Amino acid sequence: MKALFVIHGHPNIRPGGAEGYAFELYEALRDKTDWDAVFLARADKPDLHASPRHSDAVIGSATSEPKQYLAYMGWQDFDWLFLRAKSKAKLNNEFRDFLLAHRPDVVHFQHLSSIGHEAIRVTRNTLPDAAIIFHLHEFNPICHHHGQMVRTERKNHQLCRMASPRRCHECFPGIDPAAFFARKRFLESQFRHVDRFIAPSHTVGDRFIDWGIPAEKVVFEEYGRLQKDPLPESERDGPRNRFAFFGQLTPFKGADVLLKAMAVLGEEFDGQLVLHGANLEQQHGDFKAKLKSLLEEAGDNVTDAGPYHHSMIPHLMAKIDWVIIPSIWWENSPLVIQEAFHHRRPVICSDIGGMAEKVTDGLNGLHFHRGDAEHLAATIRRAAETEGLWDELRKGIPELYSMDDHLSRM
């Protein structure tokens, strides 16, 4: 049996939660003797002067390993409203040839941003007997606002619970409601060919069922993770006052809310925050300038450690006590929660969506009001200054859902 995984980025090129999970699942399946696995990830078009052999290629080898490939698609080649390639003929032809060359029994679409959802129909037309799986990592097919289901700045970044042509037009006045209607019809026409949708949280699964995906096609299945043994706990006296943020530095991940909270706590606060953030260079200039200013306001209690490789997680977790997830969007099933729990670190998170679903307030972590820097500051202070709270919350942390168990289920 052969499975093909398709994802919008290779974790060695573009670090991210979905990318890392998809690659771990690919590696786990690849290492089983009764399965063959192939990994296809989108990448930016290479420098044609440095790589002339890729000048006309759409799909090429990713590494020296024969089962990893890259689909060269630039962001500018993608229609972000309809989530499809602008010039789809060449991509679809090469993807069809790629499918015929490998003939997978299962095609598992992890993410199709910047690739194009028409790849689903190409797969069904090319391999009519293949099983097609689509992983629901976020709300991109439902929401044009980066798949966050958070309204635009003109609507004060309010949480959104339902998409419609009228409501989407309110967020994007320059796009006619009829275009949003056509957008949904196009995506529904692609999803009709999917056999199973995998939802890592009830938050995301229920939202897609409400949107129109048949409930019988949606399977709830938590992300499985590879076991990486935590480092031995070191004996330490004093308060549990070391906090960390792990993740991408985007406007929706709430790093600005966290930095505002640290500024509220002030220099006199006896605690430290380390920011382990990635992909800030991909954000717009205003947001980058805002984070730089907030870092200066937060003072010496905050360290900007920059991006990290997944292999560094055990060492980074050993240096901190709490993980903070301040996202202002719903989130699905943040992988950093599993990382924190595996290393026995309680989580402080926003009180919405997949975060609130995975972290139980007062049992294995603490909630704060989404987007409320003052309440987050109070919650951080409570975590640092309440004797015995850290030890009590650690008792409620569940065991990691292993990749072996997850792979058997998949």
mmCIF file of all heavy atoms in Angstrom, residues 228-260:
data_model
loop_
_atom_site.group_PDB
_atom_site.id
_atom_site.type_symbol
_atom_site.label_atom_id
_atom_site.label_comp_id
_atom_site.label_asym_id
_atom_site.label_seq_id
_atom_site.Cartn_x
_atom_site.Cartn_y
_atom_site.Cartn_z
ATOM 1 N N LYS A 228 9.472 12.079 22.400
ATOM 2 C CA LYS A 228 10.825 12.595 22.639
ATOM 3 C C LYS A 228 10.946 12.777 24.144
ATOM 4 O O LYS A 228 10.273 13.612 24.737
ATOM 5 C CB LYS A 228 11.042 13.937 21.911
ATOM 6 C CG LYS A 228 11.141 13.806 20.399
ATOM 7 C CD LYS A 228 11.468 15.133 19.754
ATOM 8 C CE LYS A 228 11.732 14.981 18.254
ATOM 9 N NZ LYS A 228 10.585 14.437 17.531
ATOM 10 N N ASP A 229 11.785 11.939 24.751
ATOM 11 C CA ASP A 229 11.843 11.901 26.207
ATOM 12 C C ASP A 229 12.209 13.267 26.783
ATOM 13 O O ASP A 229 13.194 13.895 26.355
ATOM 14 C CB ASP A 229 12.870 10.869 26.673
ATOM 15 C CG ASP A 229 12.430 9.446 26.350
ATOM 16 O OD1 ASP A 229 11.204 9.236 26.218
ATOM 17 O OD2 ASP A 229 13.290 8.573 26.220
ATOM 18 N N PRO A 230 11.425 13.728 27.761
ATOM 19 C CA PRO A 230 11.780 14.984 28.431
ATOM 20 C C PRO A 230 13.109 14.842 29.163
ATOM 21 O O PRO A 230 13.506 13.740 29.574
ATOM 22 C CB PRO A 230 10.632 15.193 29.426
ATOM 23 C CG PRO A 230 9.517 14.307 28.942
ATOM 24 C CD PRO A 230 10.177 13.146 28.279
ATOM 25 N N LEU A 231 13.806 15.947 29.321
ATOM 26 C CA LEU A 231 15.024 15.932 30.120
ATOM 27 C C LEU A 231 14.660 15.768 31.587
ATOM 28 O O LEU A 231 13.573 16.171 32.016
ATOM 29 C CB LEU A 231 15.799 17.241 29.916
ATOM 30 C CG LEU A 231 16.341 17.482 28.507
ATOM 31 C CD1 LEU A 231 17.084 18.813 28.458
ATOM 32 C CD2 LEU A 231 17.250 16.346 28.065
ATOM 33 N N PRO A 232 15.542 15.161 32.386
ATOM 34 C CA PRO A 232 15.249 14.991 33.821
ATOM 35 C C PRO A 232 14.970 16.340 34.486
ATOM 36 O O PRO A 232 15.613 17.346 34.163
ATOM 37 C CB PRO A 232 16.532 14.340 34.366
ATOM 38 C CG PRO A 232 17.192 13.734 33.171
ATOM 39 C CD PRO A 232 16.848 14.608 32.010
ATOM 40 N N GLU A 233 13.994 16.341 35.387
ATOM 41 C CA GLU A 233 13.676 17.567 36.106
ATOM 42 C C GLU A 233 14.818 17.914 37.060
ATOM 43 O O GLU A 233 15.319 17.061 37.798
ATOM 44 C CB GLU A 233 12.382 17.394 36.911
ATOM 45 C CG GLU A 233 11.139 17.260 36.054
ATOM 46 C CD GLU A 233 10.741 18.582 35.419
ATOM 47 O OE1 GLU A 233 11.227 19.633 35.880
ATOM 48 O OE2 GLU A 233 9.967 18.553 34.456
ATOM 49 N N SER A 234 15.233 19.159 37.043
ATOM 50 C CA SER A 234 16.282 19.603 37.966
ATOM 51 C C SER A 234 15.645 20.137 39.239
ATOM 52 O O SER A 234 14.560 20.728 39.212
ATOM 53 C CB SER A 234 17.123 20.703 37.311
ATOM 54 O OG SER A 234 16.312 21.797 36.943
ATOM 55 N N GLU A 235 16.294 19.889 40.337
ATOM 56 C CA GLU A 235 15.806 20.414 41.618
ATOM 57 C C GLU A 235 15.927 21.930 41.608
ATOM 58 O O GLU A 235 16.964 22.483 41.261
ATOM 59 C CB GLU A 235 16.622 19.817 42.770
ATOM 60 C CG GLU A 235 16.425 18.311 42.942
ATOM 61 C CD GLU A 235 15.016 17.951 43.360
ATOM 62 O OE1 GLU A 235 14.390 18.779 44.054
ATOM 63 O OE2 GLU A 235 14.536 16.869 42.986
ATOM 64 N N ARG A 236 14.833 22.600 41.962
ATOM 65 C CA ARG A 236 14.871 24.058 41.950
ATOM 66 C C ARG A 236 13.960 24.600 43.029
ATOM 67 O O ARG A 236 12.785 24.230 43.121
ATOM 68 C CB ARG A 236 14.427 24.598 40.578
ATOM 69 C CG ARG A 236 14.703 26.079 40.391
ATOM 70 C CD ARG A 236 14.553 26.460 38.931
ATOM 71 N NE ARG A 236 13.181 26.479 38.496
ATOM 72 C CZ ARG A 236 12.364 27.543 38.628
ATOM 73 N NH1 ARG A 236 12.811 28.641 39.187
ATOM 74 N NH2 ARG A 236 11.130 27.498 38.194
ATOM 75 N N ASP A 237 14.500 25.466 43.855
ATOM 76 C CA ASP A 237 13.706 26.139 44.874
ATOM 77 C C ASP A 237 13.201 27.458 44.314
ATOM 78 O O ASP A 237 13.680 27.960 43.304
ATOM 79 C CB ASP A 237 14.558 26.398 46.128
ATOM 80 C CG ASP A 237 15.008 25.099 46.783
ATOM 81 O OD1 ASP A 237 14.225 24.134 46.749
ATOM 82 O OD2 ASP A 237 16.135 25.063 47.306
ATOM 83 N N GLY A 238 12.237 28.027 44.972
ATOM 84 C CA GLY A 238 11.756 29.335 44.556
ATOM 85 C C GLY A 238 10.523 29.236 43.674
ATOM 86 O O GLY A 238 10.022 28.150 43.363
ATOM 87 N N PRO A 239 10.031 30.370 43.229
ATOM 88 C CA PRO A 239 8.787 30.424 42.453
ATOM 89 C C PRO A 239 8.940 29.827 41.058
ATOM 90 O O PRO A 239 10.031 29.836 40.482
ATOM 91 C CB PRO A 239 8.484 31.926 42.384
ATOM 92 C CG PRO A 239 9.825 32.587 42.506
ATOM 93 C CD PRO A 239 10.606 31.724 43.451
ATOM 94 N N ARG A 240 7.826 29.347 40.528
ATOM 95 C CA ARG A 240 7.780 28.849 39.148
ATOM 96 C C ARG A 240 7.394 30.034 38.266
ATOM 97 O O ARG A 240 6.223 30.240 37.947
ATOM 98 C CB ARG A 240 6.776 27.710 39.030
ATOM 99 C CG ARG A 240 7.192 26.460 39.792
ATOM 100 C CD ARG A 240 8.394 25.811 39.123
ATOM 101 N NE ARG A 240 8.830 24.584 39.798
ATOM 102 C CZ ARG A 240 9.759 23.764 39.334
ATOM 103 N NH1 ARG A 240 10.360 24.058 38.188
ATOM 104 N NH2 ARG A 240 10.115 22.681 39.981
ATOM 105 N N ASN A 241 8.383 30.809 37.886
ATOM 106 C CA ASN A 241 8.127 32.107 37.246
ATOM 107 C C ASN A 241 8.806 32.258 35.878
ATOM 108 O O ASN A 241 9.081 33.368 35.442
ATOM 109 C CB ASN A 241 8.587 33.233 38.169
ATOM 110 C CG ASN A 241 10.066 33.149 38.504
ATOM 111 O OD1 ASN A 241 10.764 32.233 38.070
ATOM 112 N ND2 ASN A 241 10.550 34.105 39.271
ATOM 113 N N ARG A 242 9.050 31.133 35.198
ATOM 114 C CA ARG A 242 9.674 31.196 33.872
ATOM 115 C C ARG A 242 8.631 30.802 32.823
ATOM 116 O O ARG A 242 8.094 29.698 32.855
ATOM 117 C CB ARG A 242 10.880 30.260 33.810
ATOM 118 C CG ARG A 242 11.937 30.521 34.904
ATOM 119 C CD ARG A 242 13.021 29.469 34.892
ATOM 120 N NE ARG A 242 12.470 28.132 35.077
ATOM 121 C CZ ARG A 242 13.184 27.009 35.028
ATOM 122 N NH1 ARG A 242 14.495 27.066 34.795
ATOM 123 N NH2 ARG A 242 12.612 25.824 35.190
ATOM 124 N N PHE A 243 8.354 31.710 31.903
ATOM 125 C CA PHE A 243 7.289 31.539 30.923
ATOM 126 C C PHE A 243 7.881 31.550 29.514
ATOM 127 O O PHE A 243 8.940 32.140 29.280
ATOM 128 C CB PHE A 243 6.262 32.665 31.058
ATOM 129 C CG PHE A 243 5.653 32.773 32.430
ATOM 130 C CD1 PHE A 243 6.300 33.465 33.455
ATOM 131 C CD2 PHE A 243 4.436 32.167 32.711
ATOM 132 C CE1 PHE A 243 5.743 33.563 34.720
ATOM 133 C CE2 PHE A 243 3.876 32.259 33.981
ATOM 134 C CZ PHE A 243 4.533 32.960 34.985
ATOM 135 N N ALA A 244 7.159 30.919 28.579
ATOM 136 C CA ALA A 244 7.648 30.900 27.196
ATOM 137 C C ALA A 244 6.488 30.874 26.210
ATOM 138 O O ALA A 244 5.405 30.338 26.491
ATOM 139 C CB ALA A 244 8.558 29.698 26.957
ATOM 140 N N PHE A 245 6.749 31.484 25.060
ATOM 141 C CA PHE A 245 5.855 31.441 23.900
ATOM 142 C C PHE A 245 6.569 30.648 22.815
ATOM 143 O O PHE A 245 7.733 30.911 22.510
ATOM 144 C CB PHE A 245 5.562 32.866 23.417
ATOM 145 C CG PHE A 245 4.873 32.949 22.071
ATOM 146 C CD1 PHE A 245 3.498 33.050 21.988
ATOM 147 C CD2 PHE A 245 5.618 32.938 20.888
ATOM 148 C CE1 PHE A 245 2.861 33.130 20.749
ATOM 149 C CE2 PHE A 245 4.994 33.022 19.648
ATOM 150 C CZ PHE A 245 3.609 33.117 19.584
ATOM 151 N N PHE A 246 5.868 29.664 22.221
ATOM 152 C CA PHE A 246 6.402 28.887 21.102
ATOM 153 C C PHE A 246 5.417 29.008 19.936
ATOM 154 O O PHE A 246 4.232 28.722 20.103
ATOM 155 C CB PHE A 246 6.530 27.410 21.459
ATOM 156 C CG PHE A 246 7.516 27.107 22.554
ATOM 157 C CD1 PHE A 246 7.117 27.113 23.884
ATOM 158 C CD2 PHE A 246 8.837 26.792 22.263
ATOM 159 C CE1 PHE A 246 8.009 26.817 24.900
ATOM 160 C CE2 PHE A 246 9.738 26.499 23.268
ATOM 161 C CZ PHE A 246 9.328 26.515 24.596
ATOM 162 N N GLY A 247 5.901 29.419 18.775
ATOM 163 C CA GLY A 247 4.991 29.450 17.643
ATOM 164 C C GLY A 247 5.350 30.497 16.620
ATOM 165 O O GLY A 247 6.397 31.137 16.678
ATOM 166 N N GLN A 248 4.428 30.680 15.671
ATOM 167 C CA GLN A 248 4.647 31.637 14.605
ATOM 168 C C GLN A 248 4.212 33.031 15.061
ATOM 169 O O GLN A 248 3.199 33.187 15.743
ATOM 170 C CB GLN A 248 3.876 31.218 13.358
ATOM 171 C CG GLN A 248 4.269 29.825 12.871
ATOM 172 C CD GLN A 248 3.919 29.600 11.428
ATOM 173 O OE1 GLN A 248 4.181 30.421 10.569
ATOM 174 N NE2 GLN A 248 3.321 28.451 11.142
ATOM 175 N N LEU A 249 4.993 34.008 14.675
ATOM 176 C CA LEU A 249 4.708 35.387 15.069
ATOM 177 C C LEU A 249 3.833 36.032 13.994
ATOM 178 O O LEU A 249 4.295 36.767 13.127
ATOM 179 C CB LEU A 249 6.013 36.161 15.264
ATOM 180 C CG LEU A 249 6.885 35.680 16.428
ATOM 181 C CD1 LEU A 249 8.235 36.392 16.428
ATOM 182 C CD2 LEU A 249 6.184 35.881 17.770
ATOM 183 N N THR A 250 2.538 35.740 14.074
ATOM 184 C CA THR A 250 1.557 36.335 13.170
ATOM 185 C C THR A 250 0.602 37.183 14.003
ATOM 186 O O THR A 250 0.518 37.011 15.232
ATOM 187 C CB THR A 250 0.761 35.257 12.417
ATOM 188 O OG1 THR A 250 -0.203 34.680 13.316
ATOM 189 C CG2 THR A 250 1.675 34.173 11.877
ATOM 190 N N PRO A 251 -0.157 38.078 13.381
ATOM 191 C CA PRO A 251 -1.093 38.907 14.148
ATOM 192 C C PRO A 251 -2.147 38.104 14.899
ATOM 193 O O PRO A 251 -2.730 38.611 15.864
ATOM 194 C CB PRO A 251 -1.745 39.776 13.053
ATOM 195 C CG PRO A 251 -0.740 39.844 11.960
ATOM 196 C CD PRO A 251 -0.072 38.495 11.959
ATOM 197 N N PHE A 252 -2.404 36.857 14.470
ATOM 198 C CA PHE A 252 -3.462 36.073 15.103
ATOM 199 C C PHE A 252 -2.960 35.209 16.254
ATOM 200 O O PHE A 252 -3.763 34.649 16.993
ATOM 201 C CB PHE A 252 -4.135 35.177 14.057
ATOM 202 C CG PHE A 252 -4.723 35.962 12.921
ATOM 203 C CD1 PHE A 252 -4.091 36.009 11.689
ATOM 204 C CD2 PHE A 252 -5.899 36.670 13.089
ATOM 205 C CE1 PHE A 252 -4.632 36.738 10.640
ATOM 206 C CE2 PHE A 252 -6.449 37.403 12.052
ATOM 207 C CZ PHE A 252 -5.816 37.441 10.828
ATOM 208 N N LYS A 253 -1.649 35.087 16.407
ATOM 209 C CA LYS A 253 -1.100 34.232 17.465
ATOM 210 C C LYS A 253 -0.986 34.954 18.807
ATOM 211 O O LYS A 253 -0.636 34.334 19.816
ATOM 212 C CB LYS A 253 0.270 33.691 17.041
ATOM 213 C CG LYS A 253 0.206 32.637 15.944
ATOM 214 C CD LYS A 253 -0.467 31.369 16.422
ATOM 215 C CE LYS A 253 -0.385 30.249 15.401
ATOM 216 N NZ LYS A 253 -1.012 29.000 15.887
ATOM 217 N N GLY A 254 -1.230 36.262 18.825
ATOM 218 C CA GLY A 254 -1.350 36.966 20.091
ATOM 219 C C GLY A 254 -0.060 37.332 20.789
ATOM 220 O O GLY A 254 -0.087 37.676 21.975
ATOM 221 N N ALA A 255 1.077 37.298 20.084
ATOM 222 C CA ALA A 255 2.331 37.689 20.733
ATOM 223 C C ALA A 255 2.269 39.138 21.196
ATOM 224 O O ALA A 255 2.863 39.498 22.222
ATOM 225 C CB ALA A 255 3.507 37.483 19.782
ATOM 226 N N ASP A 256 1.546 39.986 20.455
ATOM 227 C CA ASP A 256 1.413 41.385 20.862
ATOM 228 C C ASP A 256 0.616 41.508 22.158
ATOM 229 O O ASP A 256 0.939 42.329 23.028
ATOM 230 C CB ASP A 256 0.768 42.220 19.747
ATOM 231 C CG ASP A 256 -0.536 41.633 19.241
ATOM 232 O OD1 ASP A 256 -0.756 40.411 19.397
ATOM 233 O OD2 ASP A 256 -1.347 42.401 18.679
ATOM 234 N N VAL A 257 -0.408 40.678 22.321
ATOM 235 C CA VAL A 257 -1.181 40.670 23.574
ATOM 236 C C VAL A 257 -0.279 40.256 24.733
ATOM 237 O O VAL A 257 -0.310 40.853 25.823
ATOM 238 C CB VAL A 257 -2.386 39.706 23.468
ATOM 239 C CG1 VAL A 257 -3.160 39.648 24.780
ATOM 240 C CG2 VAL A 257 -3.303 40.122 22.326
ATOM 241 N N LEU A 258 0.557 39.263 24.504
ATOM 242 C CA LEU A 258 1.465 38.773 25.541
ATOM 243 C C LEU A 258 2.488 39.838 25.933
ATOM 244 O O LEU A 258 2.768 40.042 27.127
ATOM 245 C CB LEU A 258 2.169 37.507 25.046
ATOM 246 C CG LEU A 258 3.213 36.868 25.950
ATOM 247 C CD1 LEU A 258 2.661 36.601 27.337
ATOM 248 C CD2 LEU A 258 3.736 35.578 25.322
ATOM 249 N N LEU A 259 3.039 40.533 24.953
ATOM 250 C CA LEU A 259 4.029 41.572 25.254
ATOM 251 C C LEU A 259 3.378 42.749 25.994
ATOM 252 O O LEU A 259 3.998 43.347 26.875
ATOM 253 C CB LEU A 259 4.696 42.042 23.970
ATOM 254 C CG LEU A 259 5.633 41.020 23.304
ATOM 255 C CD1 LEU A 259 6.147 41.542 21.975
ATOM 256 C CD2 LEU A 259 6.805 40.681 24.228
ATOM 257 N N LYS A 260 2.144 43.076 25.640
ATOM 258 C CA LYS A 260 1.424 44.116 26.382
ATOM 259 C C LYS A 260 1.231 43.694 27.835
ATOM 260 O O LYS A 260 1.352 44.506 28.758
ATOM 261 C CB LYS A 260 0.073 44.397 25.724
ATOM 262 C CG LYS A 260 0.148 45.134 24.396
ATOM 263 C CD LYS A 260 -1.235 45.275 23.780
ATOM 264 C CE LYS A 260 -1.172 45.909 22.404
ATOM 265 N NZ LYS A 260 -2.512 45.966 21.756
#
